[in-house]
Amino acid sequence: MDFKKAYWIALAATFALASCSTTPTSTSQPATLPAEQSAGMAAAPESLSAARSQLAAQMQSEQRIETTLSWANEYLQQQRPEDAEQLLGDLNPDTLSTETRFQWILLSGRAALSQQNATPAVELLAKYQDEILQYPVEQQAQLDLLRADALAMEGKLLDSLQQRVAAHPLLNDQDQDYNHGMIWQLLMQLSPQELANATQSSGGDLLGWLSLAQLYRDPIADLDAQVARLDQWSAKWRTHPAISDVPAMLDALKEAASNRPSQVAILLPTSGPLQNVGKTLQEGIMTAHYQQKQNSLAPTLRFYDSGPDNILAVYQQAINDGADFVLGPLSKEKAAAIAAQGTLPATTLALNYIESEQVPENFFQFGLAPEDEARQIAQQGAREGSTQAGILYPKGDWGERVAQAFADEWQNLHGTVTVSRAYQEGPEIGEIVEELLLVAQSEARGKEVSRFTNLDMDIQPRRRQDMDFLVLIANPNQGRQVKPALNFHYAKDLPVYSTSLIYSGESNPRRDQDLNGIRFVDMPWIIGDQNSDLHKVAAEQWPDGHGRYERLYAMGIDAYRLQSRLYLLNTLPSSELPGATGRLQMRDQQVVRKLDWAIFMRGEARSLPQVTNPANSLPVRSNAVSAAP
């Protein structure tokens, strides 16, 4: 797989502002193209070769052009961009009328973006720029959205944002719904510094979007202050496209402010085998607490040792001391013991996930579940149009659990697991990789065929072709054995996706050369902007960092932030908190994380731009969902 194609990672097209209460508008019906309006036009054949043969047999040039455009459009809706590209390539754009050339440009650009390749779309739009400027404004606006998608795929997020904001007034209602949600996706992906710089240098509607995003994206801002700032924003931007969203945001923030805790009890192990974990979480909590105190009112914190066996007595003591919010405990068993008590006297956020499906209505769970990461990989693969995946995971209950989480989600998304193998670290990894790829069988078939012919035969061994990508569950040491084995056994082009386990969190270019090409999910604290104010505070307080516990430190930061935002996440299903461990949302009283993507390149873990799936771009969207704030 071409590296540039592999480089760009798609986000879900269902992104919503944290304070959003607007019901997402479905855009599952594609915009109608004129070519689809021809009476009696047959559906596209299942086989591309049959389609091309039938088109070649059509003597009437105009009918052939209309049919080609219609079938290419149909293939795009079926997530078959390569076939659409082949059909469109059979047309000579210089012989097309102005109207049909517009359709050809639009569909050709979409076919390129659907294959995660922005360059052809950008070049196409540049080539016909003078002609495009003569198109009706509605057609220009549709091509503007195509250009915006291409810019985002190239990592030019601010340029894409500017393009979308400029085109927005020219779009129809359906396209505006889609574009509204996409504007928010881009705003959420800008780094804090990019957002601040853009706000200072922008004007018009773009400034309105940017300033509203800044208001929202402050995770430690005082809720009362945010309400006041929203009121001010509404007064200033009365005619802004986002103005209809603000009343719902205000109501939600006011409710959250009235429900915030005044005293938080924190139950962490300060003794026993988990005391180092508890200490790291506490340091993260205190970092976030002191930062908030500099900007707004903060609750009183009281710490309790959850190490002793009688966790219910510790919990009751916290309640007796006046706690109206309990953060912890960390142990699954102890969290389950508290949940089993029925309705609790204070809202409780356990720092782990328990097995029980029935929990009190004021009991919530938050943790760093690798299963969530595996599910996100499955969702990403589906958004990219993949249908077949392989899994390679370490032997043991933990590896099986993570692999099963991917498999379950992948199959729910109508994907197929073509092969699944467990491994142990050591010399046998190479053999397992060879077996997984069916290289020996390929070599044997080639030799068998060559026995019956005197012709020169290409009997070069090949890997199996029924895997669109491989899910690798591995730590860095294991990954450094697996990826070279994949390369050696003719699978260098096979996309490999992994969880955050693959990255130690510390730069080691010399050793991590063997991980080059692996894409993985990880938290913003690890692979995001390392120059944020909070990173600077953490570096001052803990100059040596926290080593292998760094992700737990980030979890402590988010655990503290959740105490004031939990009500908002729970009452508004579309709400989201931009956290250190990911973008946090609530699902069935569990806080789940949406992580960022990175790739190993030249031994370094590099953050990837995050854009929407170009296959869902307008005007043809087979399963996209617009999510306006």
Side-chain angles (χ1 to χ4, degrees), residues 36 116 156 345 412 414 624:
E36 295 178 286
Q116 308 257 335
K156 301 173 182 177
N412 287 339
H414 309 292

Side-chain angles (χ1 to χ4, degrees), residues 538-593:
E540 291 173 0
Q541 293 179 335
W542 320 103
D544 295 331
H546 292 83
R548 64 191 180 98
Y549 292 127
E550 191 66 30
R551 291 181 177 88
L552 287 168
Y553 178 77
M555 179 182 166
I557 293 172
D558 282 352
Y560 175 80
R561 290 172 169 177
L562 282 166
Q563 50 84 20
S564 63
R565 304 283 168 161
L566 199 62
Y567 176 87
L568 200 63
L569 294 178
N570 190 46
T571 55
L572 292 176
S574 58
S575 60
E576 183 172 303
L577 174 66
T581 62
R583 297 181 304 281
L584 309 181
Q585 291 182 307
M586 185 72 71
R587 184 187 305 144
D588 299 326
Q589 293 181 242
Q590 293 185 346
V591 179
V592 295
R593 301 177 299 136

Side-chain angles (χ1 to χ4, degrees), residues 107 207 244 262 299 450 498:
L107 293 172
L207 177 59
S244 60
S262 59
S450 67
S498 191

Side-chain angles (χ1 to χ4, degrees), residues 260-504:
R260 62 189 162 194
S262 59
Q263 181 171 313
V264 178
I266 302 171
L267 280 55
L268 289 174
T270 57
S271 61
L274 294 177
Q275 61 179 331
N276 288 335
V277 173
K279 180 175 181 291
T280 304
L281 286 166
Q282 179 175 336
E283 289 170 356
I285 289 169
M286 293 308 299
T287 298
H289 177 67
Y290 285 129
Q291 189 189 36
Q292 183 182 13
K293 286 183 68 174
Q294 297 174 7
N295 300 283
S296 60
L297 295 175
T300 300
L301 304 185
R302 287 176 177 261
F303 287 86
Y304 300 82
D305 183 10
S306 64
D309 292 335
N310 193 352
I311 189 62
L312 295 181
V314 175
Y315 185 88
Q316 187 58 50
Q317 183 61 54
I319 298 300
N320 294 343
D321 290 344
D324 54 358
F325 190 100
V326 177
L327 188 58
L330 179 63
S331 160
K332 277 191 177 188
E333 294 75 14
K334 293 176 180 179
I338 292 174
Q341 301 307 300
T343 301
L344 300 173
T347 299
T348 300
L349 177 63
L351 298 179
N352 212 324
Y353 300 101
I354 65 175
E355 303 299 328
S356 175
E357 295 182 1
Q358 297 293 328
V359 298
E361 62 178 9
N362 59 346
F363 180 87
F364 302 91
Q365 303 161 67
F366 171 58
L368 305 183
E371 293 90 340
D372 282 345
E373 300 181 17
R375 295 183 190 101
Q376 185 172 337
I377 292 172
Q379 293 157 9
Q380 178 63 35
R383 282 194 294 273
E384 292 183 349
S386 299
T387 58
Q388 298 174 309
I391 312 174
L392 189 59
Y393 62 93
K395 289 182 178 179
D397 292 343
W398 184 90
E400 290 179 6
R401 191 172 72 247
V402 178
Q404 191 62 51
F406 169 82
D408 290 344
E409 183 73 8
W410 184 238
Q411 289 162 0
N412 287 339
L413 296 167
H414 309 292
T416 300
V417 176
T418 55
V419 60
S420 180
R421 291 287 186 276
Y423 68 88
Q424 281 185 323
E425 192 172 340
E428 72 174 43
I429 282 185
E431 297 176 5
I432 292 174
V433 168
E434 183 179 16
E435 176 194 350
L436 177 140
L437 296 171
L438 298 181
V439 174
Q441 290 87 330
S442 167
E443 187 174 19
R445 285 194 300 270
K447 290 179 178 179
E448 184 69 18
V449 171
S450 67
R451 291 175 52 199
F452 299 99
T453 178
N454 292 324
L455 298 176
D456 290 335
M457 300 292 295
D458 178 12
I459 58 172
Q460 177 75 16
R462 292 179 172 83
R463 68 169 177 87
R464 66 193 305 157
Q465 297 299 307
D466 58 352
M467 270 195 294
D468 296 319
F469 64 94
L470 175 69
V471 179
L472 173 61
I473 312 299
N475 63 34
N477 287 332
Q478 295 163 339
R480 294 182 191 114
Q481 297 178 65
V482 171
K483 189 60 169 71
L486 289 168
N487 296 347
F488 179 78
H489 291 297
Y490 314 101
K492 188 174 184 179
D493 64 334
L494 178 66
V496 179
Y497 301 162
S498 191
T499 67
S500 62
L501 180 66
I502 197 70
Y503 182 43
S504 68

